PDB file of all heavy atoms in Angstrom:
ATOM      1  N   ASP A 186       8.111 -22.491  -7.892  1.00  0.00           N
ATOM      2  CA  ASP A 186       9.345 -21.756  -8.015  1.00  0.00           C
ATOM      3  C   ASP A 186      10.501 -22.715  -8.338  1.00  0.00           C
ATOM      4  O   ASP A 186      10.562 -23.756  -7.728  1.00  0.00           O
ATOM      5  CB  ASP A 186       9.647 -20.971  -6.725  1.00  0.00           C
ATOM      6  CG  ASP A 186      10.648 -19.815  -6.989  1.00  0.00           C
ATOM      7  OD1 ASP A 186      11.744 -20.097  -7.503  1.00  0.00           O
ATOM      8  OD2 ASP A 186      10.306 -18.652  -6.612  1.00  0.00           O
ATOM      9  N   ASP A 187      11.359 -22.335  -9.293  1.00  0.00           N
ATOM     10  CA  ASP A 187      12.435 -23.239  -9.660  1.00  0.00           C
ATOM     11  C   ASP A 187      13.629 -23.147  -8.710  1.00  0.00           C
ATOM     12  O   ASP A 187      14.538 -23.912  -8.801  1.00  0.00           O
ATOM     13  CB  ASP A 187      12.886 -22.981 -11.115  1.00  0.00           C
ATOM     14  CG  ASP A 187      13.404 -21.596 -11.301  1.00  0.00           C
ATOM     15  OD1 ASP A 187      12.887 -20.648 -10.590  1.00  0.00           O
ATOM     16  OD2 ASP A 187      14.264 -21.359 -12.178  1.00  0.00           O
ATOM     17  N   GLU A 188      13.601 -22.194  -7.767  1.00  0.00           N
ATOM     18  CA  GLU A 188      14.674 -22.079  -6.753  1.00  0.00           C
ATOM     19  C   GLU A 188      14.236 -22.790  -5.498  1.00  0.00           C
ATOM     20  O   GLU A 188      13.335 -22.377  -4.787  1.00  0.00           O
ATOM     21  CB  GLU A 188      14.960 -20.603  -6.472  1.00  0.00           C
ATOM     22  CG  GLU A 188      15.552 -19.837  -7.659  1.00  0.00           C
ATOM     23  CD  GLU A 188      15.848 -18.423  -7.273  1.00  0.00           C
ATOM     24  OE1 GLU A 188      16.658 -18.179  -6.396  1.00  0.00           O
ATOM     25  OE2 GLU A 188      15.221 -17.507  -7.883  1.00  0.00           O
ATOM     26  N   LYS A 189      14.954 -23.920  -5.207  1.00  0.00           N
ATOM     27  CA  LYS A 189      14.584 -24.716  -4.054  1.00  0.00           C
ATOM     28  C   LYS A 189      14.692 -23.960  -2.753  1.00  0.00           C
ATOM     29  O   LYS A 189      13.893 -24.109  -1.852  1.00  0.00           O
ATOM     30  CB  LYS A 189      15.480 -25.983  -4.018  1.00  0.00           C
ATOM     31  CG  LYS A 189      15.069 -26.974  -2.909  1.00  0.00           C
ATOM     32  CD  LYS A 189      15.805 -28.261  -3.028  1.00  0.00           C
ATOM     33  CE  LYS A 189      15.449 -29.262  -1.955  1.00  0.00           C
ATOM     34  NZ  LYS A 189      14.022 -29.624  -1.940  1.00  0.00           N
ATOM     35  N   SER A 190      15.701 -23.072  -2.678  1.00  0.00           N
ATOM     36  CA  SER A 190      15.925 -22.301  -1.446  1.00  0.00           C
ATOM     37  C   SER A 190      14.738 -21.401  -1.179  1.00  0.00           C
ATOM     38  O   SER A 190      14.286 -21.253  -0.013  1.00  0.00           O
ATOM     39  CB  SER A 190      17.206 -21.480  -1.541  1.00  0.00           C
ATOM     40  OG  SER A 190      17.145 -20.592  -2.675  1.00  0.00           O
ATOM     41  N   ILE A 191      14.188 -20.774  -2.222  1.00  0.00           N
ATOM     42  CA  ILE A 191      12.986 -19.928  -2.051  1.00  0.00           C
ATOM     43  C   ILE A 191      11.827 -20.741  -1.608  1.00  0.00           C
ATOM     44  O   ILE A 191      11.055 -20.346  -0.697  1.00  0.00           O
ATOM     45  CB  ILE A 191      12.676 -19.190  -3.373  1.00  0.00           C
ATOM     46  CG1 ILE A 191      13.777 -18.237  -3.750  1.00  0.00           C
ATOM     47  CG2 ILE A 191      11.316 -18.478  -3.281  1.00  0.00           C
ATOM     48  CD1 ILE A 191      13.868 -17.008  -2.920  1.00  0.00           C
ATOM     49  N   ARG A 192      11.640 -21.915  -2.242  1.00  0.00           N
ATOM     50  CA  ARG A 192      10.496 -22.790  -1.818  1.00  0.00           C
ATOM     51  C   ARG A 192      10.602 -23.178  -0.369  1.00  0.00           C
ATOM     52  O   ARG A 192       9.639 -23.188   0.369  1.00  0.00           O
ATOM     53  CB  ARG A 192      10.466 -24.042  -2.718  1.00  0.00           C
ATOM     54  CG  ARG A 192      10.193 -23.807  -4.200  1.00  0.00           C
ATOM     55  CD  ARG A 192       9.643 -25.000  -4.936  1.00  0.00           C
ATOM     56  NE  ARG A 192      10.441 -26.177  -4.718  1.00  0.00           N
ATOM     57  CZ  ARG A 192      11.470 -26.566  -5.447  1.00  0.00           C
ATOM     58  NH1 ARG A 192      11.933 -25.779  -6.457  1.00  0.00           N
ATOM     59  NH2 ARG A 192      12.167 -27.679  -5.207  1.00  0.00           N
ATOM     60  N   ASN A 193      11.824 -23.533   0.048  1.00  0.00           N
ATOM     61  CA  ASN A 193      12.043 -23.959   1.437  1.00  0.00           C
ATOM     62  C   ASN A 193      11.708 -22.853   2.450  1.00  0.00           C
ATOM     63  O   ASN A 193      11.060 -23.082   3.458  1.00  0.00           O
ATOM     64  CB  ASN A 193      13.458 -24.443   1.661  1.00  0.00           C
ATOM     65  CG  ASN A 193      13.731 -25.773   0.987  1.00  0.00           C
ATOM     66  OD1 ASN A 193      12.796 -26.516   0.636  1.00  0.00           O
ATOM     67  ND2 ASN A 193      14.989 -26.091   0.716  1.00  0.00           N
ATOM     68  N   VAL A 194      12.163 -21.636   2.168  1.00  0.00           N
ATOM     69  CA  VAL A 194      11.912 -20.515   3.030  1.00  0.00           C
ATOM     70  C   VAL A 194      10.437 -20.218   3.113  1.00  0.00           C
ATOM     71  O   VAL A 194       9.847 -20.060   4.220  1.00  0.00           O
ATOM     72  CB  VAL A 194      12.684 -19.237   2.545  1.00  0.00           C
ATOM     73  CG1 VAL A 194      12.186 -17.988   3.282  1.00  0.00           C
ATOM     74  CG2 VAL A 194      14.175 -19.386   2.702  1.00  0.00           C
ATOM     75  N   LEU A 195       9.768 -20.155   1.958  1.00  0.00           N
ATOM     76  CA  LEU A 195       8.328 -19.891   1.955  1.00  0.00           C
ATOM     77  C   LEU A 195       7.544 -20.983   2.646  1.00  0.00           C
ATOM     78  O   LEU A 195       6.574 -20.734   3.369  1.00  0.00           O
ATOM     79  CB  LEU A 195       7.842 -19.704   0.513  1.00  0.00           C
ATOM     80  CG  LEU A 195       8.328 -18.447  -0.225  1.00  0.00           C
ATOM     81  CD1 LEU A 195       7.858 -18.426  -1.676  1.00  0.00           C
ATOM     82  CD2 LEU A 195       7.818 -17.187   0.475  1.00  0.00           C
ATOM     83  N   LYS A 196       7.970 -22.258   2.396  1.00  0.00           N
ATOM     84  CA  LYS A 196       7.291 -23.385   3.000  1.00  0.00           C
ATOM     85  C   LYS A 196       7.367 -23.330   4.559  1.00  0.00           C
ATOM     86  O   LYS A 196       6.377 -23.579   5.259  1.00  0.00           O
ATOM     87  CB  LYS A 196       7.842 -24.702   2.517  1.00  0.00           C
ATOM     88  CG  LYS A 196       7.072 -25.915   3.015  1.00  0.00           C
ATOM     89  CD  LYS A 196       7.590 -27.183   2.369  1.00  0.00           C
ATOM     90  CE  LYS A 196       6.758 -28.393   2.784  1.00  0.00           C
ATOM     91  NZ  LYS A 196       7.214 -29.651   2.123  1.00  0.00           N
ATOM     92  N   ASP A 197       8.597 -22.984   5.047  1.00  0.00           N
ATOM     93  CA  ASP A 197       8.744 -22.901   6.506  1.00  0.00           C
ATOM     94  C   ASP A 197       7.903 -21.765   7.081  1.00  0.00           C
ATOM     95  O   ASP A 197       7.207 -21.965   8.123  1.00  0.00           O
ATOM     96  CB  ASP A 197      10.234 -22.652   6.838  1.00  0.00           C
ATOM     97  CG  ASP A 197      11.094 -23.873   6.573  1.00  0.00           C
ATOM     98  OD1 ASP A 197      10.506 -24.978   6.510  1.00  0.00           O
ATOM     99  OD2 ASP A 197      12.322 -23.744   6.485  1.00  0.00           O
ATOM    100  N   ILE A 198       7.910 -20.619   6.468  1.00  0.00           N
ATOM    101  CA  ILE A 198       7.131 -19.494   6.953  1.00  0.00           C
ATOM    102  C   ILE A 198       5.633 -19.741   6.954  1.00  0.00           C
ATOM    103  O   ILE A 198       4.942 -19.540   7.942  1.00  0.00           O
ATOM    104  CB  ILE A 198       7.486 -18.208   6.125  1.00  0.00           C
ATOM    105  CG1 ILE A 198       8.940 -17.779   6.388  1.00  0.00           C
ATOM    106  CG2 ILE A 198       6.529 -17.077   6.498  1.00  0.00           C
ATOM    107  CD1 ILE A 198       9.408 -16.751   5.408  1.00  0.00           C
ATOM    108  N   LEU A 199       5.189 -20.229   5.806  1.00  0.00           N
ATOM    109  CA  LEU A 199       3.729 -20.515   5.684  1.00  0.00           C
ATOM    110  C   LEU A 199       3.273 -21.666   6.586  1.00  0.00           C
ATOM    111  O   LEU A 199       2.187 -21.655   7.131  1.00  0.00           O
ATOM    112  CB  LEU A 199       3.360 -20.757   4.232  1.00  0.00           C
ATOM    113  CG  LEU A 199       3.599 -19.552   3.262  1.00  0.00           C
ATOM    114  CD1 LEU A 199       3.289 -20.003   1.801  1.00  0.00           C
ATOM    115  CD2 LEU A 199       2.765 -18.373   3.648  1.00  0.00           C
ATOM    116  N   GLY A 200       4.177 -22.673   6.736  1.00  0.00           N
ATOM    117  CA  GLY A 200       3.885 -23.784   7.620  1.00  0.00           C
ATOM    118  C   GLY A 200       3.712 -23.310   9.035  1.00  0.00           C
ATOM    119  O   GLY A 200       2.820 -23.780   9.790  1.00  0.00           O
ATOM    120  N   ASN A 201       4.587 -22.400   9.456  1.00  0.00           N
ATOM    121  CA  ASN A 201       4.509 -21.868  10.829  1.00  0.00           C
ATOM    122  C   ASN A 201       3.248 -21.039  11.048  1.00  0.00           C
ATOM    123  O   ASN A 201       2.790 -20.871  12.184  1.00  0.00           O
ATOM    124  CB  ASN A 201       5.744 -20.943  11.114  1.00  0.00           C
ATOM    125  CG  ASN A 201       7.016 -21.793  11.267  1.00  0.00           C
ATOM    126  OD1 ASN A 201       6.937 -22.998  11.592  1.00  0.00           O
ATOM    127  ND2 ASN A 201       8.136 -21.171  11.003  1.00  0.00           N
ATOM    128  N   GLU A 202       2.723 -20.501   9.937  1.00  0.00           N
ATOM    129  CA  GLU A 202       1.447 -19.702  10.015  1.00  0.00           C
ATOM    130  C   GLU A 202       0.211 -20.597   9.995  1.00  0.00           C
ATOM    131  O   GLU A 202      -0.918 -20.121  10.028  1.00  0.00           O
ATOM    132  CB  GLU A 202       1.404 -18.703   8.878  1.00  0.00           C
ATOM    133  CG  GLU A 202       2.438 -17.586   8.947  1.00  0.00           C
ATOM    134  CD  GLU A 202       2.208 -16.611  10.121  1.00  0.00           C
ATOM    135  OE1 GLU A 202       1.016 -16.335  10.384  1.00  0.00           O
ATOM    136  OE2 GLU A 202       3.189 -16.240  10.760  1.00  0.00           O
ATOM    137  N   GLY A 203       0.424 -21.934   9.854  1.00  0.00           N
ATOM    138  CA  GLY A 203      -0.701 -22.838   9.908  1.00  0.00           C
ATOM    139  C   GLY A 203      -1.242 -23.277   8.568  1.00  0.00           C
ATOM    140  O   GLY A 203      -2.282 -23.926   8.456  1.00  0.00           O
ATOM    141  N   PHE A 204      -0.568 -22.871   7.461  1.00  0.00           N
ATOM    142  CA  PHE A 204      -1.032 -23.231   6.115  1.00  0.00           C
ATOM    143  C   PHE A 204      -0.504 -24.624   5.736  1.00  0.00           C
ATOM    144  O   PHE A 204       0.587 -24.998   6.164  1.00  0.00           O
ATOM    145  CB  PHE A 204      -0.595 -22.216   5.077  1.00  0.00           C
ATOM    146  CG  PHE A 204      -1.165 -20.826   5.315  1.00  0.00           C
ATOM    147  CD1 PHE A 204      -0.328 -19.763   5.630  1.00  0.00           C
ATOM    148  CD2 PHE A 204      -2.512 -20.582   5.202  1.00  0.00           C
ATOM    149  CE1 PHE A 204      -0.819 -18.484   5.862  1.00  0.00           C
ATOM    150  CE2 PHE A 204      -3.038 -19.310   5.424  1.00  0.00           C
ATOM    151  CZ  PHE A 204      -2.178 -18.254   5.722  1.00  0.00           C
ATOM    152  N   VAL A 205      -1.264 -25.325   4.917  1.00  0.00           N
ATOM    153  CA  VAL A 205      -0.804 -26.568   4.285  1.00  0.00           C
ATOM    154  C   VAL A 205      -0.128 -26.202   2.948  1.00  0.00           C
ATOM    155  O   VAL A 205      -0.738 -25.566   2.142  1.00  0.00           O
ATOM    156  CB  VAL A 205      -1.960 -27.567   4.052  1.00  0.00           C
ATOM    157  CG1 VAL A 205      -1.460 -28.829   3.370  1.00  0.00           C
ATOM    158  CG2 VAL A 205      -2.652 -27.904   5.389  1.00  0.00           C
ATOM    159  N   VAL A 206       1.143 -26.599   2.765  1.00  0.00           N
ATOM    160  CA  VAL A 206       1.881 -26.153   1.613  1.00  0.00           C
ATOM    161  C   VAL A 206       2.281 -27.311   0.735  1.00  0.00           C
ATOM    162  O   VAL A 206       2.745 -28.381   1.162  1.00  0.00           O
ATOM    163  CB  VAL A 206       3.169 -25.392   2.093  1.00  0.00           C
ATOM    164  CG1 VAL A 206       3.959 -24.893   0.841  1.00  0.00           C
ATOM    165  CG2 VAL A 206       2.787 -24.223   2.971  1.00  0.00           C
ATOM    166  N   SER A 207       2.093 -27.126  -0.570  1.00  0.00           N
ATOM    167  CA  SER A 207       2.583 -28.038  -1.597  1.00  0.00           C
ATOM    168  C   SER A 207       3.595 -27.269  -2.483  1.00  0.00           C
ATOM    169  O   SER A 207       3.552 -26.046  -2.608  1.00  0.00           O
ATOM    170  CB  SER A 207       1.487 -28.602  -2.478  1.00  0.00           C
ATOM    171  OG  SER A 207       0.588 -29.411  -1.684  1.00  0.00           O
ATOM    172  N   GLU A 208       4.531 -28.032  -3.123  1.00  0.00           N
ATOM    173  CA  GLU A 208       5.548 -27.360  -3.933  1.00  0.00           C
ATOM    174  C   GLU A 208       5.556 -27.931  -5.362  1.00  0.00           C
ATOM    175  O   GLU A 208       5.144 -29.032  -5.621  1.00  0.00           O
ATOM    176  CB  GLU A 208       6.943 -27.677  -3.339  1.00  0.00           C
ATOM    177  CG  GLU A 208       7.156 -27.186  -1.931  1.00  0.00           C
ATOM    178  CD  GLU A 208       8.557 -27.616  -1.436  1.00  0.00           C
ATOM    179  OE1 GLU A 208       9.547 -27.280  -2.100  1.00  0.00           O
ATOM    180  OE2 GLU A 208       8.619 -28.342  -0.438  1.00  0.00           O
ATOM    181  N   ALA A 209       6.071 -27.087  -6.267  1.00  0.00           N
ATOM    182  CA  ALA A 209       6.327 -27.489  -7.644  1.00  0.00           C
ATOM    183  C   ALA A 209       7.579 -26.769  -8.101  1.00  0.00           C
ATOM    184  O   ALA A 209       7.765 -25.576  -7.829  1.00  0.00           O
ATOM    185  CB  ALA A 209       5.151 -27.152  -8.533  1.00  0.00           C
ATOM    186  N   ALA A 210       8.474 -27.495  -8.839  1.00  0.00           N
ATOM    187  CA  ALA A 210       9.790 -26.954  -9.196  1.00  0.00           C
ATOM    188  C   ALA A 210       9.775 -26.177 -10.530  1.00  0.00           C
ATOM    189  O   ALA A 210      10.742 -25.559 -10.900  1.00  0.00           O
ATOM    190  CB  ALA A 210      10.812 -28.073  -9.276  1.00  0.00           C
ATOM    191  N   ASP A 211       8.664 -26.268 -11.259  1.00  0.00           N
ATOM    192  CA  ASP A 211       8.566 -25.517 -12.534  1.00  0.00           C
ATOM    193  C   ASP A 211       7.067 -25.342 -12.865  1.00  0.00           C
ATOM    194  O   ASP A 211       6.210 -25.938 -12.237  1.00  0.00           O
ATOM    195  CB  ASP A 211       9.310 -26.215 -13.675  1.00  0.00           C
ATOM    196  CG  ASP A 211       8.839 -27.630 -13.886  1.00  0.00           C
ATOM    197  OD1 ASP A 211       7.645 -27.834 -14.245  1.00  0.00           O
ATOM    198  OD2 ASP A 211       9.661 -28.591 -13.733  1.00  0.00           O
ATOM    199  N   GLY A 212       6.830 -24.529 -13.899  1.00  0.00           N
ATOM    200  CA  GLY A 212       5.430 -24.221 -14.247  1.00  0.00           C
ATOM    201  C   GLY A 212       4.637 -25.398 -14.716  1.00  0.00           C
ATOM    202  O   GLY A 212       3.464 -25.522 -14.478  1.00  0.00           O
ATOM    203  N   GLU A 213       5.318 -26.331 -15.416  1.00  0.00           N
ATOM    204  CA  GLU A 213       4.638 -27.545 -15.930  1.00  0.00           C
ATOM    205  C   GLU A 213       4.146 -28.423 -14.806  1.00  0.00           C
ATOM    206  O   GLU A 213       3.008 -28.849 -14.786  1.00  0.00           O
ATOM    207  CB  GLU A 213       5.585 -28.293 -16.854  1.00  0.00           C
ATOM    208  CG  GLU A 213       4.892 -29.212 -17.838  1.00  0.00           C
ATOM    209  CD  GLU A 213       5.881 -29.748 -18.884  1.00  0.00           C
ATOM    210  OE1 GLU A 213       6.483 -30.806 -18.563  1.00  0.00           O
ATOM    211  OE2 GLU A 213       6.038 -29.158 -19.923  1.00  0.00           O
ATOM    212  N   GLU A 214       5.041 -28.663 -13.809  1.00  0.00           N
ATOM    213  CA  GLU A 214       4.626 -29.470 -12.643  1.00  0.00           C
ATOM    214  C   GLU A 214       3.545 -28.737 -11.843  1.00  0.00           C
ATOM    215  O   GLU A 214       2.604 -29.322 -11.348  1.00  0.00           O
ATOM    216  CB  GLU A 214       5.847 -29.744 -11.765  1.00  0.00           C
ATOM    217  CG  GLU A 214       5.532 -30.590 -10.536  1.00  0.00           C
ATOM    218  CD  GLU A 214       6.706 -30.689  -9.552  1.00  0.00           C
ATOM    219  OE1 GLU A 214       7.824 -30.186  -9.900  1.00  0.00           O
ATOM    220  OE2 GLU A 214       6.503 -31.275  -8.469  1.00  0.00           O
ATOM    221  N   GLY A 215       3.699 -27.390 -11.762  1.00  0.00           N
ATOM    222  CA  GLY A 215       2.722 -26.588 -11.034  1.00  0.00           C
ATOM    223  C   GLY A 215       1.338 -26.682 -11.637  1.00  0.00           C
ATOM    224  O   GLY A 215       0.333 -26.802 -10.946  1.00  0.00           O
ATOM    225  N   LEU A 216       1.286 -26.598 -12.987  1.00  0.00           N
ATOM    226  CA  LEU A 216       0.009 -26.635 -13.675  1.00  0.00           C
ATOM    227  C   LEU A 216      -0.635 -28.008 -13.492  1.00  0.00           C
ATOM    228  O   LEU A 216      -1.871 -28.114 -13.343  1.00  0.00           O
ATOM    229  CB  LEU A 216       0.188 -26.376 -15.158  1.00  0.00           C
ATOM    230  CG  LEU A 216      -1.101 -26.205 -15.989  1.00  0.00           C
ATOM    231  CD1 LEU A 216      -1.995 -25.106 -15.432  1.00  0.00           C
ATOM    232  CD2 LEU A 216      -0.764 -25.949 -17.456  1.00  0.00           C
ATOM    233  N   GLU A 217       0.144 -29.083 -13.496  1.00  0.00           N
ATOM    234  CA  GLU A 217      -0.372 -30.427 -13.324  1.00  0.00           C
ATOM    235  C   GLU A 217      -0.989 -30.581 -11.895  1.00  0.00           C
ATOM    236  O   GLU A 217      -2.092 -31.073 -11.754  1.00  0.00           O
ATOM    237  CB  GLU A 217       0.714 -31.463 -13.490  1.00  0.00           C
ATOM    238  CG  GLU A 217       0.231 -32.904 -13.369  1.00  0.00           C
ATOM    239  CD  GLU A 217       1.328 -33.952 -13.561  1.00  0.00           C
ATOM    240  OE1 GLU A 217       2.408 -33.559 -13.997  1.00  0.00           O
ATOM    241  OE2 GLU A 217       1.066 -35.155 -13.268  1.00  0.00           O
ATOM    242  N   LYS A 218      -0.299 -30.059 -10.891  1.00  0.00           N
ATOM    243  CA  LYS A 218      -0.819 -30.123  -9.509  1.00  0.00           C
ATOM    244  C   LYS A 218      -2.061 -29.230  -9.384  1.00  0.00           C
ATOM    245  O   LYS A 218      -3.040 -29.598  -8.722  1.00  0.00           O
ATOM    246  CB  LYS A 218       0.239 -29.686  -8.521  1.00  0.00           C
ATOM    247  CG  LYS A 218       1.349 -30.714  -8.306  1.00  0.00           C
ATOM    248  CD  LYS A 218       2.245 -30.390  -7.152  1.00  0.00           C
ATOM    249  CE  LYS A 218       3.233 -31.536  -6.871  1.00  0.00           C
ATOM    250  NZ  LYS A 218       4.093 -31.247  -5.694  1.00  0.00           N
ATOM    251  N   PHE A 219      -1.989 -28.052 -10.002  1.00  0.00           N
ATOM    252  CA  PHE A 219      -3.143 -27.098  -9.934  1.00  0.00           C
ATOM    253  C   PHE A 219      -4.380 -27.712 -10.559  1.00  0.00           C
ATOM    254  O   PHE A 219      -5.490 -27.495 -10.089  1.00  0.00           O
ATOM    255  CB  PHE A 219      -2.745 -25.808 -10.594  1.00  0.00           C
ATOM    256  CG  PHE A 219      -3.801 -24.740 -10.590  1.00  0.00           C
ATOM    257  CD1 PHE A 219      -3.906 -23.904  -9.485  1.00  0.00           C
ATOM    258  CD2 PHE A 219      -4.670 -24.532 -11.640  1.00  0.00           C
ATOM    259  CE1 PHE A 219      -4.887 -22.901  -9.416  1.00  0.00           C
ATOM    260  CE2 PHE A 219      -5.606 -23.530 -11.624  1.00  0.00           C
ATOM    261  CZ  PHE A 219      -5.741 -22.719 -10.512  1.00  0.00           C
ATOM    262  N   THR A 220      -4.188 -28.475 -11.678  1.00  0.00           N
ATOM    263  CA  THR A 220      -5.299 -29.074 -12.352  1.00  0.00           C
ATOM    264  C   THR A 220      -5.955 -30.216 -11.561  1.00  0.00           C
ATOM    265  O   THR A 220      -7.167 -30.320 -11.544  1.00  0.00           O
ATOM    266  CB  THR A 220      -4.816 -29.609 -13.755  1.00  0.00           C
ATOM    267  OG1 THR A 220      -4.237 -28.573 -14.518  1.00  0.00           O
ATOM    268  CG2 THR A 220      -5.997 -30.203 -14.526  1.00  0.00           C
ATOM    269  N   ASN A 221      -5.128 -30.966 -10.919  1.00  0.00           N
ATOM    270  CA  ASN A 221      -5.615 -32.200 -10.250  1.00  0.00           C
ATOM    271  C   ASN A 221      -5.974 -32.016  -8.762  1.00  0.00           C
ATOM    272  O   ASN A 221      -6.564 -32.912  -8.178  1.00  0.00           O
ATOM    273  CB  ASN A 221      -4.551 -33.317 -10.391  1.00  0.00           C
ATOM    274  CG  ASN A 221      -4.322 -33.694 -11.828  1.00  0.00           C
ATOM    275  OD1 ASN A 221      -5.229 -33.761 -12.618  1.00  0.00           O
ATOM    276  ND2 ASN A 221      -3.080 -33.973 -12.196  1.00  0.00           N
ATOM    277  N   GLN A 222      -5.559 -30.895  -8.158  1.00  0.00           N
ATOM    278  CA  GLN A 222      -5.861 -30.705  -6.763  1.00  0.00           C
ATOM    279  C   GLN A 222      -6.536 -29.344  -6.601  1.00  0.00           C
ATOM    280  O   GLN A 222      -6.457 -28.456  -7.477  1.00  0.00           O
ATOM    281  CB  GLN A 222      -4.576 -30.698  -5.933  1.00  0.00           C
ATOM    282  CG  GLN A 222      -3.863 -32.053  -5.925  1.00  0.00           C
ATOM    283  CD  GLN A 222      -2.537 -31.951  -5.201  1.00  0.00           C
ATOM    284  OE1 GLN A 222      -1.456 -32.256  -5.806  1.00  0.00           O
ATOM    285  NE2 GLN A 222      -2.541 -31.590  -3.954  1.00  0.00           N
ATOM    286  N   ASN A 223      -7.229 -29.140  -5.449  1.00  0.00           N
ATOM    287  CA  ASN A 223      -7.866 -27.853  -5.176  1.00  0.00           C
ATOM    288  C   ASN A 223      -7.052 -27.074  -4.162  1.00  0.00           C
ATOM    289  O   ASN A 223      -6.849 -27.541  -3.025  1.00  0.00           O
ATOM    290  CB  ASN A 223      -9.299 -28.099  -4.646  1.00  0.00           C
ATOM    291  CG  ASN A 223     -10.215 -28.547  -5.750  1.00  0.00           C
ATOM    292  OD1 ASN A 223     -10.143 -28.111  -6.877  1.00  0.00           O
ATOM    293  ND2 ASN A 223     -11.078 -29.476  -5.376  1.00  0.00           N
ATOM    294  N   PHE A 224      -6.500 -25.908  -4.577  1.00  0.00           N
ATOM    295  CA  PHE A 224      -5.740 -25.081  -3.712  1.00  0.00           C
ATOM    296  C   PHE A 224      -6.519 -23.789  -3.438  1.00  0.00           C
ATOM    297  O   PHE A 224      -7.286 -23.299  -4.259  1.00  0.00           O
ATOM    298  CB  PHE A 224      -4.374 -24.733  -4.360  1.00  0.00           C
ATOM    299  CG  PHE A 224      -3.476 -25.944  -4.506  1.00  0.00           C
ATOM    300  CD1 PHE A 224      -3.388 -26.600  -5.735  1.00  0.00           C
ATOM    301  CD2 PHE A 224      -2.733 -26.429  -3.431  1.00  0.00           C
ATOM    302  CE1 PHE A 224      -2.570 -27.701  -5.851  1.00  0.00           C
ATOM    303  CE2 PHE A 224      -1.933 -27.531  -3.573  1.00  0.00           C
ATOM    304  CZ  PHE A 224      -1.835 -28.164  -4.778  1.00  0.00           C
ATOM    305  N   ASP A 225      -6.273 -23.231  -2.245  1.00  0.00           N
ATOM    306  CA  ASP A 225      -6.953 -21.978  -1.908  1.00  0.00           C
ATOM    307  C   ASP A 225      -6.170 -20.782  -2.428  1.00  0.00           C
ATOM    308  O   ASP A 225      -6.756 -19.656  -2.581  1.00  0.00           O
ATOM    309  CB  ASP A 225      -7.075 -21.852  -0.381  1.00  0.00           C
ATOM    310  CG  ASP A 225      -7.971 -22.960   0.174  1.00  0.00           C
ATOM    311  OD1 ASP A 225      -9.161 -22.924  -0.100  1.00  0.00           O
ATOM    312  OD2 ASP A 225      -7.447 -23.896   0.881  1.00  0.00           O
TER     313      ASP A 225
END
């Protein structure tokens, strides 16, 4: 998500639920992380 505030809110909520969270600020960075790492 390109909105940092949205990423922060979602990261806090999901972190509290016990999930491991990674972030990307745009689709290009997201695709690079998605390609090189395994996400559930």
